[in-house]
Amino acid sequence: MLKDFGRQSLAGLRILLVFTVILGVAYPAAVWGVGRTVHHQTDGQPITTDGRVVGSAIIGQNFTGEEWFHSRPSPNDYDTLASAPSNLGPSNTDLLALIEERRAEVARTESVDPSDVPPDAVTASGSGLDPHISVAYARIQVERVAKANGLGVAAVRQMVANNTDGRSLGFLGEPGVNVLRLNVDVKDAATQTAG
C-alpha cells in the first residue's frame, strides 16, 4: 500500500512538472512570441507625432476647441481606469435632458439644425472610450475644422475619408472615423499650410 502511494505520488509530481512547463513556460512564451509578430496589435496601437506618443488608436480622448474634430461624449471624462457606461436607461429623465443639452450644443457649434445632429454626437459608447465617431458626425464638423485651421473644405473631407475605418469583418457595424488619427492629420496639414 505504501508502495502504491509512492508510485501515485511520483506520477502526480510528473504531471505537475509537465503541466508547469507547458502552461507556465511554453504557453506564455508562445503568446509572447505571437504578440511580438503582430506588434501593432499588442502594444496599444500608439499614435506618434513629432516623435512622441500622443495617444492610442483604440482609446478615445477628449478634444476641445474649434480646430479639432470632437469625440463622442464620455460619462467618465475619458478616464481609462473608469471605463464604463453611465448606466442610465433610455427613459431616465436626467439622461434625456443631457442628450437634449448636448444636441443643442452640437447644433450651435456646427451651425446645423438639431435634427441633423447624429446620435453618436450626443450619446456615449458602452465603454465611454470609443475612439471613433460616425461618418455623419465627422461630416458636420468639416467646415468648422477647415475654417479654424485655414484649410480647404475639400482637403478636410478627404482627411475624413482617409481616416474612415470600414465595417468589422466587412459586414459588422457601421464605418467609423478615428478621431485621433484624423486630428493628427489636420494638425500636420495646418502646420504645413502655416509654414
Side-chain angles (χ1 to χ4, degrees):
M1 185 154 165
L2 190 59
K3 192 174 185 181
D4 287 340
F5 178 74
R7 280 184 40 224
Q8 289 175 355
S9 296
L10 189 57
L13 183 61
R14 285 181 187 156
I15 290 173
L16 175 67
L17 290 174
V18 167
F19 279 108
T20 298
V21 170
I22 291 171
L23 300 174
V25 178
Y27 177 73
V31 170
W32 177 83
V34 169
R36 298 315 302 163
T37 41
V38 290
H39 182 64
H40 72 284
Q41 295 292 327
T42 60
D43 62 358
Q45 299 182 33
I47 295 178
T48 58
T49 184
D50 299 328
R52 72 182 178 91
V53 175
V54 294
S56 168
I58 57 175
I59 299 176
Q61 55 185 284
N62 193 25
F63 292 95
T64 57
E66 297 294 308
E67 71 275 18
W68 303 114
F69 280 88
H70 298 160
S71 300
R72 288 184 78 163
S74 174
N76 53 33
D77 295 323
Y78 300 94
D79 181 358
T80 57
L81 298 177
S83 173
S86 68
N87 287 334
L88 299 176
S91 61
N92 183 287
T93 55
D94 293 338
L95 178 63
L96 295 173
L98 183 59
I99 287 172
E100 288 310 311
E101 181 183 314
R102 288 173 179 162
R103 185 182 320 282
E105 176 67 22
V106 171
R108 185 183 54 73
T109 301
E110 307 305 341
S111 301
V112 296
D113 189 84
S115 64
D116 293 332
V117 175
D120 64 311
V122 296
T123 58
S125 66
S127 68
L129 299 172
D130 192 346
H132 293 86
I133 57 174
S134 67
V135 175
Y137 188 27
R139 285 182 181 150
I140 68 169
Q141 298 183 65
V142 165
E143 289 189 28
R144 172 184 50 81
V145 171
K147 182 179 178 184
N149 287 288
L151 300 170
V153 170
V156 176
R157 280 192 185 122
Q158 186 59 50
M159 289 179 217
V160 169
N162 293 346
N163 288 285
T164 300
D165 298 328
R167 298 169 186 260
S168 298
L169 302 175
F171 66 94
L172 294 175
E174 293 296 322
V177 180
N178 189 292
V179 180
L180 177 58
R181 285 186 174 142
L182 177 56
N183 281 332
V184 167
D185 285 357
V186 167
K187 179 185 178 267
D188 289 347
T191 302
Q192 290 174 1
T193 301

